[in-house]
Amino acid sequence: MRMLWRFLHQLETETVVWMIFLIFLKPNNVFKPNNWKEEGEKLLPKLVQLVATTDANCDRDYVSALQEELDNLKNNLSEREKVLQLLGCGKAEEKTFFTGGKLVTFQNARTECANAGGQLATPDTAVQNKALQDIVNLYKKGAWIGVIAEWSKNRFVYLNRQPVRYTNWNKGEPNNEHNVEECVEMYTTGTWNDKQCNVERLVVCEF
């Protein structure tokens, strides 16, 4: 009914009167004998055009409202991203890194990230490494990364035991000092160091 009301409001008064005559009264004496149907057919294209215009205007109003709502959502999301950055959040390529600033052991860091639905931050490109470094610098604390040593094979692997594709070792590292360094931390410089796993470092998860 609302659409019909809007439609009728757009019609000229004269047109509405003719519609009433044509549809309801159909008087033969209004037009030339037997000509009312012919005259009605002449009005039909105009009516169709007016209906189409009404529908188009409604569609434009609906799209405009949706666009306004989408813009508001984008603005709200942008504000929330700024807050997350202050807490320790960064994006790089397909990964999002996040920390709450907690210091834990390597195994506890793995557990906390898994419980949150992610995994320990594992930069495998220079771009991802830089994003993680920004978070480490924010807290001025070294952070665990998802890389471990397999000294029996003289290599480092990801947590899924696949060989690492990217490294950024600090000068002189890895060195397996005292033969106990099986985990890897990131310095505030963005470089890596092999480290014993039972010390506490910043936990950063990736999603």
Side-chain angles (χ1 to χ4, degrees):
M1 286 298 295
R2 184 178 298 177
M3 285 286 292
L4 178 59
W5 183 251
R6 291 184 62 182
F7 164 65
L8 291 176
H9 264 279
Q10 293 193 31
L11 297 179
E12 299 171 1
T13 303
E14 182 181 356
T15 303
V16 175
V17 172
W18 284 125
M19 286 176 62
I20 294 172
F21 269 81
L22 289 172
I23 297 172
F24 298 104
L25 303 179
K26 300 180 183 178
N28 288 332
N29 60 340
V30 174
F31 305 107
K32 294 179 181 180
N34 301 320
N35 201 37
W36 67 269
K37 185 177 180 182
E38 210 174 289
E39 295 294 335
E41 288 175 350
K42 290 180 182 179
L43 284 174
L44 185 59
K46 183 176 182 179
L47 296 178
V48 171
Q49 182 179 2
L50 285 169
V51 171
T53 301
T54 303
D55 287 343
N57 288 336
C58 289
D59 289 342
R60 281 194 293 270
D61 292 343
Y62 182 64
V63 170
S64 178
L66 286 179
Q67 184 62 52
E68 182 178 354
E69 185 174 347
L70 179 60
D71 291 340
N72 289 335
L73 287 173
K74 286 180 179 179
N75 290 335
N76 290 338
L77 180 59
S78 177
E79 292 301 317
R80 282 162 175 74
E81 284 181 343
K82 291 176 183 177
V83 173
L84 287 175
Q85 287 171 0
L86 292 175
L87 292 174
C89 179
K91 291 183 178 180
E93 297 166 334
E94 77 281 3
K95 295 183 179 181
T96 297
F97 300 117
F98 181 81
T99 182
K102 192 174 182 180
L103 301 177
V104 297
T105 64
F106 183 84
Q107 185 55 49
N108 286 343
R110 291 187 64 177
T111 301
E112 290 205 9
C113 289
N115 289 341
Q119 65 178 28
L120 198 58
T122 308
D124 52 20
T125 68
V127 173
Q128 294 173 18
N129 200 79
K130 178 60 170 62
L132 184 55
Q133 180 191 353
D134 290 342
I135 296 175
V136 172
N137 278 327
L138 182 65
Y139 285 86
K140 295 179 171 54
K141 300 287 185 181
W144 292 122
I145 62 174
V147 175
I148 55 177
E150 283 188 345
W151 290 116
S152 61
K153 298 181 180 179
N154 197 31
R155 68 174 186 172
F156 283 82
V157 297
Y158 297 120
L159 299 180
N160 61 6
R161 301 293 175 174
Q162 295 298 310
V164 294
R165 299 182 296 271
Y166 166 85
T167 61
N168 192 38
W169 294 110
N170 195 44
K171 185 177 180 180
E173 303 296 344
N175 61 3
N176 192 23
E177 188 175 6
H178 306 304
N179 295 318
V180 294
E181 299 184 328
E182 296 184 346
C183 297
V184 180
E185 64 177 336
M186 175 186 283
Y187 290 148
T188 56
T189 59
T191 55
W192 301 2
N193 172 55
D194 56 332
K195 192 70 177 177
Q196 62 195 74
C197 304
N198 60 353
V199 299
E200 293 187 342
R201 292 292 184 266
L202 187 67
V203 51
V204 184
C205 303
E206 73 174 44
F207 301 92

